Amino acid sequence: MSAAPQGAGPRPAGSGSADLVIVGAGVVGAAAAYFAALAGRRVVVVERGAIAGGTSSAGEGNLLVSDKEAGPELDLALYSQAVWREDLAAYAGRWEFESKGGLVVAASGKSVAALRELSVHQRASGVEVEDVEQARLHDYEPHLSKDLAGAAFYPQDAQVQPMLVVAHLLRLARDLGASVRTRTEVTGFLRSGDRVTGVRTTGGDIPAGAVLNAAGTWAGEVAALARVSVPVRPRRGFVLVTEPMPPRTIRHKVYAAEYVGDVASSDAALQTSPVVEGTDSGTILIGASRERVGFDRTVSVPAISTLAAKAVALFPMLRQVRLMRTYHGFRPYCPDHLPVIGADPRAPGLWHACGHEGAGIGLAAGTGKLVAQALNGVEPDLDLAPFAPDRFPEPPHDAEGVAP
């Protein structure tokens, strides 16, 4: 692919070849489509279902730095925050961007000490953190339990409405000449020797200079079609939605300090840590659970009841509030808890942007811009080496050289 200048005008993708085919119309694919089209690329997005039909429609819309330890993921989160707040600032109202801040609460002196230690390293990486003593907790959240020992406040934490993000980013990409094909499943890849030169789909072949695998929880299956391994697996999570409450009953995103540990854990069993926040409509969202059960969509009563009980422990007034509904989905989990971003040297022409687990909404803007830069031959603003697609050990192969 020849490089095109950043900000070049639109070039309609039409029905023929493309510079870039993006597999997946979730938030990561939508962000990549927008930034690639903004850079002058002819972009085609293919999605086997509806836009935002996977993980993007099953979360709370978190844009968090508070839940990340110092390292590559936090660096990406801070970069992505800047993209949300600067590159995409003009469109913030379209997806209900709310810079509400996050309050991480601790139940014991020991948990407060661990929270303070975490914040030291986060500050060194550029995170804004305010230590909150027990006596000041109710200045932040009047309805919090009186049994808590302290907290940390993260003013950079924010929230968006994820389905609106996907819809509007794709609309912006289409305005720049991109096309979006829903109900179009990728069934294979076009090849020229080892090089990927496009995709085979249920709607016909699409030749392309590059293909970006942004298929979320199904990214491992898409990678396998190109005969490479990317160990993205599903991790199920539930969200509870209450009846509407008066506005700002809960002012910030509030979660228990153990949530940070749960995010970093590789345990397959059910884990729950309360995450509670209000919305503009007055409903209160309650998460978060994690469990590795494949693509089992069964509603888990233990997960829901445990989340409800832990939310009530944080906010006792919720005991009198009725639950309106629940929803759940699958986070694209990688074993080392880092996303997969960049060109795949095992299949030239194939790129990946997947495996963001529960942080995909927040990391999408930065991921999309970085991928567009790299595709355009521009040195990315952030080093992509920690997210390399081939960083994992190769799985065992059978006698014919095919991964099981």
Side-chain angles (χ1 to χ4, degrees):
M1 289 173 60
S2 59
Q6 294 285 347
R11 291 190 290 165
S15 59
S17 64
D19 291 332
L20 175 65
V21 169
I22 298 174
V23 184
V27 67
V28 175
Y34 168 69
F35 282 107
L38 186 65
R41 293 301 178 187
R42 296 174 299 162
V43 178
V44 177
V45 180
V46 293
E47 165 60 51
R48 69 178 181 179
I51 65 170
T55 303
S56 296
S57 62
E60 299 166 86
N62 296 332
L63 278 60
L64 303 184
V65 297
S66 57
D67 64 338
K68 295 169 181 63
E69 299 177 347
E73 188 184 27
L74 179 56
D75 294 341
L76 178 58
L78 288 166
Y79 176 76
S80 198
Q81 280 268 343
V83 177
W84 282 111
R85 294 174 183 273
E86 297 169 15
D87 301 66
L88 298 173
Y91 311 111
R94 298 191 185 188
W95 41 72
E96 300 176 5
F97 181 96
E98 184 181 4
S99 189
K100 62 171 59 177
L103 188 69
V104 184
V105 298
S108 67
K110 183 178 179 181
S111 293
V112 170
L115 193 55
R116 299 288 183 263
E117 182 179 355
L118 172 67
S119 68
V120 168
H121 300 291
Q122 291 174 321
R123 285 190 185 95
S125 297
V127 176
E128 299 173 29
V129 191
E130 301 171 15
D131 295 337
V132 180
E133 302 305 321
Q134 184 181 41
R136 297 178 56 222
L137 281 173
H138 289 87
D139 295 338
Y140 286 82
E141 292 289 347
H143 299 289
L144 266 176
S145 168
K146 294 180 172 62
D147 296 330
L148 296 167
F153 179 64
Y154 293 80
Q156 292 160 300
D157 281 358
Q159 185 179 22
V160 294
Q161 213 295 343
M163 296 185 73
L164 290 177
V165 169
V166 178
H168 284 292
L169 282 176
L170 289 175
R171 182 172 290 115
L172 290 167
R174 287 197 298 267
D175 289 345
L176 292 166
S179 67
V180 180
R181 306 181 190 180
T182 57
R183 312 295 176 187
T184 303
E185 184 172 359
V186 171
T187 58
F189 285 86
L190 304 177
R191 308 292 284 253
S192 176
D194 291 335
R195 184 170 188 82
V196 168
T197 59
V199 293
R200 298 190 182 280
T201 80
T202 51
D205 294 352
I206 309 174
V211 176
L212 177 67
N213 174 15
T217 311
W218 295 272
E221 283 78 358
V222 171
L225 293 174
R227 302 192 293 274
V228 297
S229 173
V230 175
V232 176
R233 301 291 183 266
R235 207 176 186 193
R236 188 174 69 184
F238 288 83
V239 177
L240 284 55
V241 185
T242 74
E243 63 183 334
M245 300 290 289
R248 293 188 60 77
T249 297
I250 295 175
R251 301 173 179 178
H252 309 94
K253 180 178 294 292
V254 182
Y255 64 85
E258 64 260 29
Y259 175 78
V260 178
D262 284 356
V263 169
S265 170
S266 297
D267 198 332
L270 174 66
Q271 297 171 303
T272 57
S273 48
V275 181
V276 185
E277 64 187 305
T279 66
D280 285 345
S281 66
T283 58
I284 294 171
L285 305 180
I286 300 169
S289 67
R290 284 173 162 77
E291 54 188 331
R292 285 162 52 197
V293 292
F295 285 102
D296 183 358
R297 299 198 65 88
T298 303
V299 174
S300 170
V301 174
I304 291 171
S305 60
T306 303
L307 285 175
K310 289 187 174 183
V312 168
L314 277 190
F315 290 95
M317 60 86 180
L318 287 176
R319 190 178 301 276
Q320 310 304 321
V321 178
R322 284 177 291 191
L323 187 65
M324 189 166 63
R325 68 184 181 95
T326 68
Y327 61 94
H328 61 288
F330 302 96
R331 303 178 183 93
Y333 160 89
C334 273
D336 62 359
H337 303 282
L338 289 178
V340 178
I341 306 171
D344 196 323
R346 301 164 298 181
L350 177 65
W351 294 63
H352 302 279
C354 54
H356 295 75
E357 202 171 337
I361 305 298
L363 301 180
T367 298
K369 184 175 180 180
L370 291 167
V371 167
Q373 288 173 337
L375 278 163
N376 238 32
V378 175
E379 184 72 22
D381 293 332
L382 197 68
D383 182 12
L384 295 181
F387 313 109
D390 60 339
R391 70 183 187 270
F392 303 98
E394 285 294 317
H397 292 71
D398 64 20
E400 296 182 354
V402 178

